[in-house]
Amino acid sequence: MKLTEKQQLVLDELRKIGRKNAHLYRDSQSYLHQKDCEKLALGDQACVFGMGGFTFQVGHRLGVSAPSVLSIFKALQRKGLVIREESYPDYQRARYWWPVGLAAELYAEVQTENRGTP
């Protein structure tokens, strides 16, 4: 699928955020890391809330405005490349975004790392 340069940058940054969040507690809070691994095993929908990225977070990292990132997220969502956290539709707050397919990729990665740990 063809993406614009900005779409690819936003998607790549969102993947970096998801990867960082999946590994966040690995060495410091093993219980929280295990909970994140359980989310990864359940798939993308389970990972969006709490492990995904925000529009303002991606925008800050890339030096782009949050509204601009939001429009890119919406375009990527229409293409089936990202999903938006929708668990509390009446609650007015920033929504998390997550790249489709990243949970399976990270779960395999984390499982390999955990097998290599004594």
Side-chain angles (χ1 to χ4, degrees), residues 69-80:
V69 172
L70 180 60
S71 68
I72 292 170
F73 275 156
K74 288 180 178 181
L76 292 171
Q77 184 179 33
R78 286 189 297 274
K79 293 181 179 194

Side-chain angles (χ1 to χ4, degrees), residues 4 9 13 28 36 41 46 58 60 62 75 80 97 105:
T4 67
L9 285 171
E13 200 59 41
S28 61
D36 286 346
V58 172
H60 177 74
L62 295 175
W97 293 84
E105 180 184 321

Side-chain angles (χ1 to χ4, degrees), residues 1-89:
M1 177 176 306
K2 185 129 172 98
L3 299 178
T4 67
E5 183 180 343
K6 284 185 178 183
Q7 288 174 337
Q8 190 63 57
L9 285 171
V10 167
L11 185 58
D12 290 346
E13 200 59 41
L14 186 61
R15 290 177 62 80
K16 288 177 190 174
I17 290 167
R19 176 169 265 102
K20 177 186 168 284
N21 289 343
H23 293 281
L24 187 62
Y25 302 112
R26 184 165 188 251
D27 296 325
S28 61
Q29 301 287 328
S30 59
Y31 173 74
L32 293 175
H33 178 67
Q34 185 58 39
K35 293 305 262 181
D36 286 346
C37 290
E38 290 170 11
K39 282 185 175 182
L40 291 171
L42 293 174
D44 294 326
Q45 286 290 345
C47 295
V48 179
F49 184 78
M51 291 179 69
F54 296 111
T55 54
F56 65 84
Q57 184 180 23
V58 172
H60 177 74
R61 287 177 168 212
L62 295 175
V64 179
S65 71
S68 190
V69 172
L70 180 60
S71 68
I72 292 170
F73 275 156
K74 288 180 178 181
L76 292 171
Q77 184 179 33
R78 286 189 297 274
K79 293 181 179 194
L81 297 174
V82 299
I83 56 176
R84 183 179 182 186
E85 179 268 315
E86 299 283 353
S87 53
Y88 305 101

